[in-house]
Amino acid sequence: MATDIGALDTFPKLLLHHAAVRGARPAIREKDRGIWQTWSWTQFADEVRAIACGLAQQGLGRGDHMALVGDNRPRIYAAMCAAQCLGAVPVPLYQDAVAAEMAFPIQNAEIVHAVGEDQEQVDKLLEILPQCPTLKHIYYDDPRGLRHYAQPQLASYDRLREIGVEAAKRDPGFLEREIEKGSGDDPAAMFFTSGTTATPKGVVLTHHALIDRARAAAEMEGLTDRDVVIAYLPPAWIGQNIFSYAQPFATGYCICCPESAETLMTDMREIGPSYYFAPPRVLEALLTQVSIRMEDAGRLKRTMYRHFMDVARRVGGAILDGKPVGMAQRLHYALGDLLVYGPLRNVLGMSRVRVAYTAGEAIGPDLFKFYRSIGINLKQLYGSTETSVFVCVQPNGQVKADTVGPAVRGVELKFTPQRELLIRSPGLFREYYKNPQATEQAKDADGWFHTGDAGYLDADGHLKIIDRVKDVGKLDDGTLFAPKYLENKLKFFPYIKEAVAFGHARDHVCAFINIDMEAVGNWAEKRKLAYTGYVDLASRKEVRDLITQCVEQVNADLAADPELAGSQIHRFLLLHKELDADDGELTRTRKVRRGYIAERYESLVEALYAGKESVHVEAQVRYEDGRTGQISADLSICDARSFPPAAARKAA
Amino acid sequence: MFYREVGQYKTSYAADQALLPILQDRIGIAVILLIAFVAVPLTASNFALDSVLIPILVLSLAATGLNLLTGYTGLLSLGTGGFMGVGAFACYKLTTIFPNVNIIFLILCSGFFAAAIGTVFGLPSLRIKGFYLAVATLAAQFFLSWCFIRIPWLYNYNISASIEVPTKTLFGLAVTGPTASSTTRYLLVLSIVTVLVLMAANLMRGRIGRTWMAVRDMDLAAELIGIRLYQTKLLAFAVSSFYCGVAGAMMAFLWLGNAESESFNINQSFLILFMVIIGGLGSLLGSFLGAALIWGLPIVLRHAPAYLGLHIRSATVDQSTFVILGVLIIFFLIVEPHGLARLWQIGKQKLRVWPFPY
Amino acid sequence: MTETEARAQRIGAPVLAVEEVSLTFGGVRALSEVSFDVREHEVRAIIGPNGAGKSSMLNVLNGFYQPQHGIIRFRGREFRGMKPHAAATMGIGRTFQNIALFRGMTVLDNIMVGRNLKMRGNLLQEAFWLPAARREEIEHRRAVEEIIDFLEIQHIRRTPVGQLPYGLQKRVELARALAMEPSVLLLDEPMAGMNLEEKQDMCRFVLDVNDHYGTTIVLIEHDMGVVMDISDRVVVLDYGSKIADGTPEAVRADQAVIDAYLGVAH
Amino acid sequence: MHILYSIFVDPFMQMAHAPDLLVQTLWDGLVSGVLYALIALGFVLIFKASGVFNFAQGIMVVFAALTLVGLNEHGVPAYLALALTVVVMLVLAIAVERAILRPLVNQPEIILFMATFGLTYVLIGLGELIFGGDPKVMISDQLGLPSGSYRINMLGGYVQLQKIDIAAAIIASLMVAGLGIVFNRTRIGRALRAVADSHRAALSVGISLEQIWVVVWFAAGVVALATGIMWGARSNVSFALEIIALKALPVLILGGFTSIPGAIVGGLIIGVGEKMGEFYWGPLVGGGIESWFAYVIALVFLLFRPQGLFGERIIERL
C-alpha cells in the first residue's frame, strides 16, 4: 500500500486513505424519504471537506472544542470528522438529555461552535445560552420550524457547506495541509461520562488511542470493508461511537442510520447488519417482545417453539462453539434451525450477524445463553470510556456466560487487594478535561488506570467482573453481596423491567422491583384481570404472587452457588412508578443510580428491614411534557422463600 | 418460514416500487413461469392441455378483466359473456376480411372492439350504481346474445348460426383451426395471458390503478380530490372489456375452434363472476385461483367416481357437481368473504413473520 | 419583531369570499345569507354550536353542495356554485369530519392519490411501465415522501389505512390533502375525538403547514382553546346565519356568541 | 326517411286497423306482467326484510313447481302434494336461514347477494337429482284451476281470454293485498321493516333476526309456489324458467326494490311494454327482442329517476 498503515494515525488521514483506496464503496447509508440514501467514501470525504473549510472560515481552530447534539445522521459524523481535520476536538452530547445537563459540558470545554440536529436541539442550546457565554455559533441541520428564528448565532448546515465549498475553491490544498498538521497524539474526541455519582467528567481520547483499539479488535474479528453496522444508540455514548465512527474509519466498513426510533426493527431487518452491538437492556427488551408475541401464537406453534427452544438450550451454544455434539442432536438442531431459529433470526434482523457484542453492564447468564442458543454469535466485551472500550473480548470458541473474556492484544491487567481491576493499555484516555485531581485519582504515576470495578481472573485467564467496587458489599456475616448479579438474574424474567438490591452491612438481602408494564399487562389481560394503570397493576395481589414466583426461582439458582447462597432475596416490594432517567434514578444509558435511589426511597428501605407489611409512599413525578405530579400509594411488602445452600458442590 | 428478508434493502424508488420487491416472491414467480412455459408443454397430455389448462388460462384472463371492473373499481358487471362474444365475433370478422394478417394481432385488435362496446354499455355508470348498474350490464348481455343470433353478417350467413375457425399459420406453424396442436395453442394462450396480466399489474401500481381503487372505496372523496369519476369509470369499463374481448377471441380461436351465441350467454357471465368472487375481489392472483377452482373442480368431480372405482350415472355426477359448487360458494363466502387470494395472502404473511403469529 | 407581527405582515388580500350564500335541502335551511372572506396565508376558523351549518358551509366552498342563492368568489373569479372537480383543480383541498380515507389501500397509496391531478401518465405508458410513467411515479413519490417526513408518519407507510388508530388516520387525511399542493385547505374538525397530546401535535402540524407551505387554512373546530391559539380571524355561525366575525379575542367577548353557546332562548 | 316512418308511424297505424289485436296484445302483456310481478314480489319480500337481493327467487319458483308435480307423480293426491310442498318451502326457509344468513349477518350486501347465487346452484342440482331434468306438465286441473278460455267479440274481431290467466290475476292481487296488510299494519310487518333497515338496530331492540328471516323466506317460498303453479299452467315446468326469472330485475328497477305496489305496477308495465314492443316493433329488427327489450325500458327509466317509481331519493352525505 502506498502509505504504510503506521502513517495513518489520525481519522482525517484515514478518511483520505479510504476515499483514495475504496472511494466507490459505501461509507454511510441513511434510511430517509422511504429509501436508503448512500454516501460513498469519496462523497463522504467531499462532504467533510466542505464542512471543514466552512468551519475554518467561521473561526474554528486547532485545539478548540465543538459540540455535536443529535441522532445518528450522516451529517453529524461528517461534522465530527470535519472538526478533527482542523485539529479541533468534537464533543458529542446526548440528544435526549435535558437542556440543564448540556450546560456543564459547554462551559467546561468553553465551546464556541455547536452543531444541533433540529429545532428540538437548537431550542435546548438557546435555552442555556445565558449560562454559556462562549457559545457563538449554532449550526442546525433540519430547518423545520426554524424559519422565524432570528438569533444571530444561528446558521444552517447548508449555509456552512456553501461557505466551505467556496473556501475550498479558493484554496484547494488548505484541507490536506491542515490534516498533515494533525498527529496521533492530538485529542480526537471528548466524551462526557454519564457518571453514576458526581458531576460528569470530560474524557479526552487521542486519535492513537481510538485507532489502536479499533484496529486491535478489528484484527481479532477479521472485520473487512464488506461488513455492515446499524447505528441506533446515542452517538455521545462511546459504546456506539466506537462501532459507528472509530472502527469504520479503521477498517472501511459501512454504517447505516435508521429512519427513526419507531422504524428501527424494520430498518434493521432490511439492512441485515453483519457486526452488531447491543447493551443488555436492548437484548432484554427484544427477548420480552419475542416471549409476548410467542405467547399469543396458536397452541401448535407454541408447543413447537417450546420444544425446539429446549433443544437449543441443550445443544445450541455447543454447536455455535464448535464443541462435539451427537449426530442425532445435530440433526434435531438443524430441523429447529429451519423451523424456528432461522426464521427467528430473520424476523429480528440478525440472520447475517457474524459477530455480536454486548457490554455496558453485566448481562444475565440466561439472557446471554438464549441468543447464543438460536445461533447468534453473541460475545461479552468489557471496557469503558476511559479505555476506548476494548479491554477484554471473548474470542470465538471461548465464550462463557459469566466472564468477559481474556485481555485484548496490548492490554495489561492487575488487581489491588480489594480486588479492584487496574488496566494499562495504549487505548487509555489522556486526562479528564480540566480536572487534574480526578485524573491523578484514576491514573497513577506509572500509567495504571483504576477502573472502580471488582473482579478476578478465572482458570482460563478470562476476567470475571463481580460489581462496582463501592457497590460490592458484605452482609453482616461477611458473605459476598453483588447487587448487579442479583438484579440481572431478576431482570431475565420478562415481567421484571428493573430491580435494585440492598444488603450491604445488613443481615439479609431485600430488593425494589419494577414490573414491565407491557409484559405484565399482557399476562393480566390473558387472565381477564382488569387494571387501570401502572400503579394499580403493580398493587394487585395476583401480580405480586407472579413476581414472588420469579424471586423464589432466582433464590433457588443462588442456593446452587456456594459463594452467593447467602445473598438470597428475603423480602421485596413492587415500586409504584418506573425508575426513570428524567427523575435522576437512572443514568442516560439506563444504569441504576444506586446511591441516589437508596437516599430518595430511604423510608421504603427501612420498611423492608423493619419487617413491616406495607408502607405508604408520596412521590413527585415528572411527566413527559415537563409537568410534575404527585403519586401516592400503599406498597405491600412480600416475603420470598429462600432455600438451604446445596450440600458440598463440586467447584463452580 | 421460507422468507429471509434480511438484507433486502432498497436504495432507489424504482426498486421500492417494483412489482415483486421481495426476492423470495421473485423466485416463486420465476419457478411458476418456468413450469408453465417449459415443464407443462413437455409433459402435459393433450387432454390436460385442451380441457383443463387452456380453458383455465382463457377464463383467468376474462376473470382478470372482470376483476379490474368489479374488484378494483367496484362496478358490478353481469355482461362479461357478451363482451367475450364481441371479441370472438370481431376476431372472426377480421380474419374473414383480412385473411393474411397475423392472427395474434387480430386477436388483440378484437379486444378494442369489445372495449368500444363495453364503454357504450358503461355510459349509464355515472348516474347509477350498485345493483342498478348490474341491470345495465345485464341489458348488454341479453342484447349482445340476441345480436349474435339475429345478425347473420356476424357469422358470415352460416346456416348453423355458429362460426368455424379457419386454419391460420404463424411462421409456417398451424396456430388455429383443427390442425393446430394443443401445445402451440397452449403456449400462445399462455404468452398472451402473461403479457396482459403483467400490463394489468403495472396499471394497478400506477396512477390509473389508484384512481380506480379510490372510486371503489369512496367515490365522493375521490371526486373532491380531483378525480373525474366519469372518465375513470369509463376507462375501467373499456380496459375490462378489452380483456374480456381478447379472452373471447382466444376462447373461439385457440380453445374451442368454433363458437356460437350459446357459449357467450348469461351463464358464462355468472361463471366468471363466481371465479372473481371466490378467487378474491381486487386481486389479480384471485382471478387465477378462482378460475382454476370453478373450472377445475367439476372436471375433478366428474373423474373422481371413475378414479375411485364407484360407478355413478354421469348425469347424477353432473347434477351433484352443481350442488357441490353451490355449497362451495356458500362455504367460501362464510369462511373468507375476500376469497382465495386473501387466504393466500394470510398464509404468505404468516410465513413472513414465522414463528410469530403477527 | 414578535411572532404575531411577522404573521400579520404575511397575511395578504382576500383570496376566497362568500356573499349572501343560502343553502336549503329537503326543506331544511342550512345556511341563510352568510357572507365572510378569507385572506391569503390566514388561519380562518369557523365555529358555532352543533348544527349551526359549519360543515354545510365547507361543503359549499368545495363544491359538494350547490347553494340556491349567493356567490362564491375565489381568486377574482365568481361562481354561483362550485363543481367538486373544478374546486380541486383550482387548489382547494379538504379533510373530512368523519374520515373519508380509501380503506382498500395503504397509507402511501392514499397520499399518492392526492397527487392525481398533477400526474399526466396515459394508459399505454402505465400499462407497459414505460420510462415516462416510471419517472413520473418516482418524481411524485418523492413529493409524497416529503409530506410523510413532514407529518412524521414514516413508520406507518405500508400499513392498510383501516388498521390505524383515529389520530393517525386524521394525519393521513391531512397528508393526502397536502399532496394536492392546495392553496386553500379546508379542515373539518381535524382534532375531534383526539386526546390532549394528539391535539397538540395536530395544532403544530396545522401551523407548520400554514407556515412552511404558506397554505391558507379554513378550520372548523369546537375546542375554543385551539381556536384562540392558532386562528387569526374567527367567523361564528348559529342556526345557519353569521352572528359574529373578527379576531378571536373580539369574538370571545361578543355577547351574541356567548348567548349562542350558552343557549339563551331564541 | 322510410326507417323513421316504420318506427314511429306505421305501428300506430297497425294498432288503429286491428284494435282487437291491440287488446289481445295488451291482455297478453298484462298476464305476463302479473307473473313478472309475482316473481318480483318474492324479491321485494326478501329485500325489504333482510336487505338481501335474493337471486335464487327464480329457481325457487321452479323448485316449488317441480316438487309439487314430482310428488304428484309419485302418487300423492294434488291437495296433499300442495300442502307437502308448502312444508318443503318452510324447511327450505329454515335451512337457508341456518346455513347462509346466520353466519353472514352484517356482511356487505354483495357477499349475501353472492350467497344466493350459491343457493341457486344448490337448488338446480337438487331439483335435477330428485325430480329429473326433463320438463313436466303442471297438474293445474287436479288443483281445480279453471281451464279453457272465453271468447269475447269486440271491436270487429275477437279477444281470447284464458281462464287460468284470470285466476292468476285474482290470486296475485289477493297475495299483494295480504302481504301489503301484513307489512304495514301488523307487528311482524314492523319488525320485518326494522330488520331491513339495520340488522344491528333490530337486534338491539330485541327482534330475533332468525325468526324474522324464516318468516320472510317462507313467505317468499309460498309466493314462489303460487308463481310456479301459475307459470307452469301456461307453459310446462322446466329449468328454462330460471332465466326468465331474471326479468324480475327490470320490474324491481321500475318499481323500486322495497315497495310492494311498485313490484306490481312495475311488472305490468314491463309485461305490456315487452309484448307491445315484440308485436309491433319486433319484426323491424328480426323479432325475438323480448329477451332484452324489458331491460332497455328499465334502463331508460333509470336514467331519469335513479331510485325507481316508489323508492326514496338517495341522499349521500359525507
Side-chain angles (χ1 to χ4, degrees), chain A residues 29 33 35-36 269-272 290 293-294 296-297 301 304 339 342-344 346-347 349 351-352, chain B residues 1-14 16 350-358:
Chain A
R29 286 190 213 282
R33 302 293 190 275
I35 49 173
W36 289 89
R269 192 180 315 137
E270 280 177 10
I271 272 297
V290 166
R293 282 168 79 173
M294 273 327 288
D296 292 346
K301 227 184 251 185
M304 177 198 76
L339 290 177
L344 196 55
N346 171 53
V347 167
S351 296
R352 299 192 334 177
Chain B
M1 188 128 65
F2 314 107
Y3 279 93
R4 293 292 184 274
E5 290 178 49
V6 163
Q8 294 184 30
Y9 54 90
K10 305 285 178 284
T11 54
S12 73
Y13 284 125
D16 192 56
K350 278 220 176 323
L351 284 181
R352 283 183 65 188
V353 291
W354 185 275
F356 295 125
Y358 51 81

Side-chain angles (χ1 to χ4, degrees), chain A residues 286-304:
Chain A
L286 271 180
L287 182 61
T288 313
Q289 274 304 323
V290 166
S291 42
I292 288 176
R293 282 168 79 173
M294 273 327 288
E295 236 171 75
D296 292 346
R299 216 162 27 78
L300 187 67
K301 227 184 251 185
R302 255 207 320 265
T303 30
M304 177 198 76

Side-chain angles (χ1 to χ4, degrees), chain B residues 16 205 207 210 217 226 228, chain C residues 85 104 121 129 137 141 158:
Chain B
D16 192 56
R205 61 172 169 158
R207 177 181 67 83
R210 277 193 295 272
D217 288 342
R228 291 184 184 282
Chain C
H85 183 258
W129 207 242
E137 188 78 10
R141 167 72 187 273
R158 294 276 188 224

Side-chain angles (χ1 to χ4, degrees), chain D residues 38 41-42 44-45 48 171-193 219 223 258-264:
Chain D
L38 268 177
L41 196 59
V44 163
L45 258 175
K48 199 168 168 56
I171 290 176
S173 32
L174 279 176
M175 271 201 184
V176 164
L179 285 173
I181 294 163
V182 161
F183 254 87
N184 296 325
R185 292 289 175 276
T186 62
R187 189 181 61 77
I188 291 187
R190 210 175 309 105
L192 290 177
R193 275 184 279 123
V223 166
T258 54
S259 98
I260 291 182
I264 297 306

